Amino acid sequence: QAFFCLLFCIPWGSSCPPSCQCTERAGAKAVLCSSRHLDEIPKDIPRDVVFLKLDANSITRIPSNAFRHLSHLEEIDLSRNAIEKIDGAAFKGVAAGLRSLDLSSNRIRSIPKEALLALNAKLRLANNPWHCECALQEVLWEARLDPDSVQDITCHTAPREEYVGKPLLQVLDAGVNFCSVRQRTTDVAMFVTMFGWFAMVVVYVICYVRHNREDACKHGDYLKAAPSTQACPE
């Protein structure tokens, strides 16, 4: 915060969201909307903004294409909000140029991996109630996470109780692979389904054979019980 205060101290005259402060220095334009009681991302952010601070608000969701028109955007600070949902295309249009994205201290339990894996930005994901699963593991391995905050990505919930409360990195370093667990679960489900279908076919065949056998027996009994036909006199 001190860095932003020192770097951006000159107001600039283009349009600015009513609840925010817009500043500029050496051509780098910033929109500062910290602690403004916002519950969504402002719609009227200037297109040429480079730094966007939306921290310490009450934003609950990042919808698709939320920043698509902000082609110059390099840093976004969304820390200390109430974000629970991030759409898969939330950062579409800014992925290539974004250098820093802070999502720490929110209410994020899970996140579509496609929302983050396309980014080149350094990510801060600490202090969220994460559900440790395959998608989060893939983000951890493939995204550019801020090394200072990785240890604070903690399992709030997990498939096994022993992982709860532990840093995700520590769990993975111990040899746990959430993606293989999911694959095994899928394989078991497929096996159970196939076994169920096979059992149904076997039962059907048995019932069919029994039914035909009973019909054959009834027909035989009927023929035995029928009176013998006598030859007609010539």
Side-chain angles (χ1 to χ4, degrees):
Q1 290 181 348
F3 171 77
F4 276 96
C5 291
L6 292 173
L7 183 60
F8 305 110
C9 56
I10 304 174
W12 43 287
S14 58
S15 61
C16 185
S19 56
C20 304
Q21 177 186 2
C22 297
T23 61
E24 177 182 358
R25 182 179 180 185
K29 298 183 178 180
V31 176
L32 312 180
C33 308
S34 305
S35 305
R36 300 302 174 99
H37 306 290
L38 300 174
D39 56 10
E40 63 179 9
I41 298 169
K43 307 293 185 185
D44 49 356
I45 298 173
R47 292 179 176 270
D48 52 354
V49 63
V50 176
F51 302 95
L52 178 60
K53 284 184 66 68
L54 293 162
D55 56 303
N57 283 291
S58 302
I59 298 170
T60 58
R61 178 191 174 197
I62 307 177
S64 296
N65 301 311
F67 309 99
R68 188 171 186 176
H69 64 292
L70 308 177
S71 58
H72 299 278
L73 200 55
E74 295 183 5
E75 295 187 16
I76 306 175
D77 185 354
L78 283 158
S79 63
R80 296 183 296 151
N81 273 278
I83 298 171
E84 297 180 350
K85 180 175 176 56
I86 300 176
D87 292 356
F91 303 102
K92 187 175 182 180
V94 298
L98 204 61
R99 295 190 294 105
S100 176
L101 174 61
D102 193 343
L103 294 168
S104 59
S105 301
N106 278 281
R107 300 176 185 173
I108 307 170
R109 297 189 70 251
S110 63
I111 190 169
K113 63 180 182 180
E114 62 268 21
L116 298 183
L117 294 183
L119 295 175
N120 292 319
K122 184 180 290 187
L123 300 174
R124 295 183 65 88
L125 303 175
N127 301 318
N128 281 285
W130 291 108
H131 174 63
C132 289
E133 57 180 348
C134 182
L136 182 59
Q137 175 179 318
E138 290 177 339
V139 168
L140 187 67
W141 288 143
E142 300 183 36
R144 290 186 58 226
L145 297 177
D146 184 340
D148 295 334
S149 66
V150 171
Q151 287 295 336
D152 293 323
I153 301 176
T154 303
C155 297
H156 185 74
T157 56
R160 296 177 61 173
E161 187 67 26
E162 62 190 275
Y163 306 146
V164 175
K166 293 183 178 179
L168 176 58
L169 189 62
Q170 177 183 332
V171 174
L172 297 178
D173 285 344
V176 177
N177 189 330
F178 293 106
C179 295
S180 66
V181 169
R182 184 179 67 177
Q183 184 62 44
R184 286 198 301 269
T185 302
T186 303
D187 292 343
V188 170
M190 290 180 63
F191 174 78
V192 171
T193 302
M194 292 176 65
F195 180 80
W197 279 106
F198 179 75
M200 290 175 62
V201 171
V202 171
V203 171
Y204 174 79
V205 171
I206 292 174
C207 291
Y208 179 79
V209 171
R210 278 186 183 175
H211 180 73
N212 285 349
R213 183 179 296 172
E214 289 174 358
D215 285 348
C217 290
K218 289 179 181 177
H219 185 66
D221 292 342
Y222 172 77
L223 292 177
K224 290 178 182 179
S228 301
T229 57
Q230 307 223 348
C232 295
E234 294 183 0

